[in-house]
Structure formats: C-alpha cells, structure tokens
Amino acid sequence: MNTSAKTLTIGSGMEKPLLKLHAAMDTTALWRAVQLVVKAALPGSFVGLTLQHNPIQPLITKWTRSIPDGSFDSTPLTKYLDSHPRSRLVRSSDIFPERAKLVRSDFYRQYMAPQRRAHAIGLFFWRGRRLIGVIVIMRTAEQGEFTSAQMKLLRSLYPQFQTALRRLGSLERERSARGAFEEFIRRLPLPTILLRWNLKLVYQNQAA
C-alpha cells in the first residue's frame, strides 16, 4: 500500500538521520547516513551510492547488500543525460519507457533482477557538467512505481544530500592539499615547523 502524501514529509523521524548525514566526515560515514535517511523516507528500499564517475562509470560503488563488481552498458543512461543535461531525479522508466527494454538492459539484469527489484530511481549530483555522485533507490513490484508524493519527498531531500556531498568533497580536497604540502615540507633539507596563529604546533618535518 502506498503511503499517503500527508505522511511523506521531512518530519521528526528524519531529524537524526539528517544530522548524521551532515556530520559525515568520510565516505563510510556518508554511506551509513544515506542508508538511514532513505530507510526513514522510503522503508524497504534497496539503496546504492556511487562516487567518482569517469564520466558515467563510477570508481566507488556501495550497496545495501553485496553486488558483484562490474561495469554495465551505460549507453542508454548516457543518451538520456545528453538529452536531459544535469538531470537530478531520473527513474528507470524515464530511460526505458518500454518495460521490455528495461528488462533486457544490463542494469536491470546485473542490479535490479538479482535483488528482485522492479523500479529504480537515481538522484544525480553534479559539479558543473561533471557527475560527482548518484544515490540509487530500488523498489519491488509490490511497492510499485514511485508515487508523486514520494517524488516530492525525494526532491525535498535532494538539497540535503547535495550539501553533504559537497562538504565531503571539500574536506577530501583539503586533506589532499594538506597531505601534499606536508610531503613537500617533509622533503625540505632545512628544519621547518608550521604554527597556528596562537603558536600551537601544526607540523614539523624530520629535520626539525
């Protein structure tokens, strides 16, 4: 039975999952929080998170349950995104309006069918024209296609996920830059130390 539109809002039951989402400091914590948010919003869903796309195929994939690694024919998705640039919410039925074509697709056979899922939606996140991540939510035939109320809820959650992904990306770039700078300082032949504004030691190389 589909949940009524009145209950599909960001209410008190979403507060703790969303707090965990915005507190995530690494990919593992982000993935755990994404699962909690989706579980609170759409119980019984099968969830995936993909990151570091190049340009469509991801380097990092995480699923509610283990799925064998392997690429799939992303041509239908690529064509859809080319004609609908920077799409945010994309249902499997948007890419494959004909059910028969969906069932024959690589994505259905590799990801949906083994989990006994009949419907899927992807929340696509972008930096400019570059795809940086996708949250995949799959539902059973009994649960049915995503309703207008569920779509509205996912649209309201999209900015929450987007903010968390952007913040995590900034943290990772900061860590990478700091690591590169520390490596540079470490290689200097002269004793070198870095201090904060209050003279607290931040880093010192081996020569120091």
Side-chain angles (χ1 to χ4, degrees):
M1 181 180 296
N2 291 328
T3 307
S4 68
K6 291 183 179 179
T7 61
L8 291 177
T9 57
I10 300 180
S12 58
M14 301 289 294
E15 290 179 359
K16 288 185 178 180
L18 288 174
L19 286 173
K20 289 184 178 295
L21 178 69
H22 292 296
M25 298 293 288
D26 55 35
T27 302
T28 299
L30 175 70
W31 167 230
R32 289 172 181 166
V34 166
Q35 293 178 87
L36 290 174
V37 172
V38 175
K39 181 179 180 180
L42 298 173
S45 298
F46 187 84
V47 187
L49 173 66
T50 64
L51 300 168
Q52 297 183 14
H53 292 253
N54 185 29
I56 296 297
Q57 295 287 354
L59 297 178
I60 297 176
T61 59
K62 296 182 178 294
W63 298 95
T64 303
R65 290 188 295 275
S66 178
I67 290 182
D69 292 333
S71 61
F72 64 95
D73 181 8
S74 60
T75 302
L77 175 59
T78 301
K79 288 182 177 179
Y80 181 87
L81 293 177
D82 285 344
S83 59
H84 302 80
R86 291 174 55 83
S87 292
R88 292 188 171 190
L89 275 69
V90 180
R91 296 168 298 183
S92 54
S93 57
D94 295 326
I95 303 172
F96 300 100
E98 297 179 20
R99 181 75 184 174
K101 290 185 177 180
L102 169 64
V103 172
R104 292 196 300 268
S105 70
D106 275 5
F107 184 80
Y108 181 87
R109 288 181 294 170
Q110 291 181 219
Y111 297 98
M112 296 178 68
Q115 307 303 323
R116 298 181 181 179
R117 304 290 152 158
H119 308 282
I121 189 170
L123 280 66
F124 288 71
F125 301 91
W126 306 85
R127 183 183 299 121
R129 296 185 63 85
R130 179 188 173 194
L131 181 62
I132 61 172
V134 182
I135 294 174
V136 182
I137 304 172
M138 296 192 287
R139 309 280 280 169
T140 65
E142 290 75 16
Q143 291 169 325
E145 179 63 282
F146 295 89
T147 66
S148 58
Q150 290 168 339
M151 293 294 291
K152 182 178 179 180
L153 175 59
L154 290 175
R155 289 189 187 96
S156 68
L157 287 172
Y158 183 95
Q160 306 284 342
F161 291 127
Q162 184 178 54
T163 298
L165 279 168
R166 287 179 174 176
R167 188 177 61 82
L168 184 60
S170 297
L171 286 173
E172 290 179 346
R173 288 192 295 274
E174 180 181 327
R175 292 187 191 113
S176 178
R178 179 173 178 175
F181 185 65
E182 288 180 353
E183 179 64 17
F184 170 74
I185 297 296
R186 187 184 69 81
R187 292 175 178 272
L188 290 177
L190 299 176
T192 305
I193 63 174
L194 298 178
L195 302 175
R196 295 186 187 276
W197 64 271
N198 58 1
L199 302 183
K200 183 178 179 181
L201 179 66
V202 176
Y203 179 80
Q204 68 181 50
N205 65 2
Q206 293 179 350

